Amino acid sequence: MRELKFRAWNEKNMIENAVPIGKNRYGYFEKEGYESVLKYSNKGIINQFTGVIDENGIEIYEGDIVKVKTEVDISSMDSFLFEGSEMVEQEIYCVVNYNEEIACFDLETIEKDLHLSNWGFYGKDVPSDMIVVGNIYENKELLKSY
């Protein structure tokens, strides 16, 4: 059984362990003195945990920006330059989204020239060499730098 966890972005900071209540509404616990008090927010963006942990032990959520190391067959790119199959390791930066069409979490490349999308991943069937480098809310500069 996969673990259902959520976080929420409220335009100022990330709220870990958010509890979705409705569209853009969530609850969260805040420490007040010696006890935790349930608070509510009517404004926020809720992200779900993918069930996958990156190679550094960080949980991967929707909205995260990840670096994926992958091998690309460069011989398929231009048959005039390369003969045979030649695999080259490449780092690709992607945003984690939920893709309703294929009902799974999806990696969408930031570098639009690559034209790669629909890299759906399903639980344990995911590259082990993914690294979270930020998220689309707190690290917008990463969306432009690749």
Side-chain angles (χ1 to χ4, degrees):
M1 179 185 238
R2 77 182 169 102
E3 185 176 13
L4 292 176
K5 293 171 77 171
F6 300 88
R7 69 179 186 194
W9 172 250
N10 68 5
E11 296 184 6
K12 294 180 185 172
N13 53 13
M14 195 65 73
I15 307 294
E16 299 296 328
N17 299 316
V19 179
I21 298 170
K23 187 174 182 175
N24 300 330
R25 292 191 67 209
Y26 62 93
Y28 61 98
F29 288 95
E30 193 169 278
K31 199 112 173 128
E32 288 187 4
Y34 292 105
E35 48 187 49
S36 291
V37 177
L38 182 61
K39 305 243 175 161
Y40 296 95
S41 176
N42 289 324
K43 191 173 184 184
I45 300 170
I46 299 167
N47 301 134
Q48 185 175 0
F49 175 48
T50 64
V52 176
I53 296 175
D54 80 353
E55 70 178 43
N56 295 321
I58 298 171
E59 296 175 337
I60 301 174
Y61 283 81
E62 291 175 271
D64 279 343
I65 300 169
V66 295
K67 176 174 69 172
V68 180
K69 293 179 197 165
T70 187
E71 286 192 346
V72 177
D73 184 356
I74 60 173
S75 62
S76 64
M77 294 179 189
D78 191 341
S79 59
F80 294 109
L81 297 176
F82 303 101
E83 290 183 20
S85 179
E86 187 175 344
M87 301 301 283
V88 175
E89 190 171 287
Q90 184 176 13
E91 291 181 346
I92 299 174
Y93 292 83
C94 305
V95 175
V96 178
N97 294 311
Y98 185 77
N99 186 329
E100 292 192 24
E101 289 180 23
I102 57 177
C104 70
F105 293 99
D106 191 21
L107 300 177
E108 183 179 332
T109 57
I110 292 173
E111 188 177 332
K112 299 303 178 194
D113 292 346
L114 292 175
H115 301 295
L116 300 175
S117 63
N118 293 334
W119 282 14
F121 58 92
Y122 310 88
K124 295 177 183 168
D125 192 23
V126 65
S128 60
D129 50 1
M130 255 199 283
I131 299 171
V132 174
V133 294
N135 63 63
I136 61 173
Y137 312 105
E138 298 170 302
N139 310 102
K140 291 182 190 252
E141 71 280 1
L142 294 176
L143 296 173
K144 298 174 186 168
S145 59
Y146 303 107

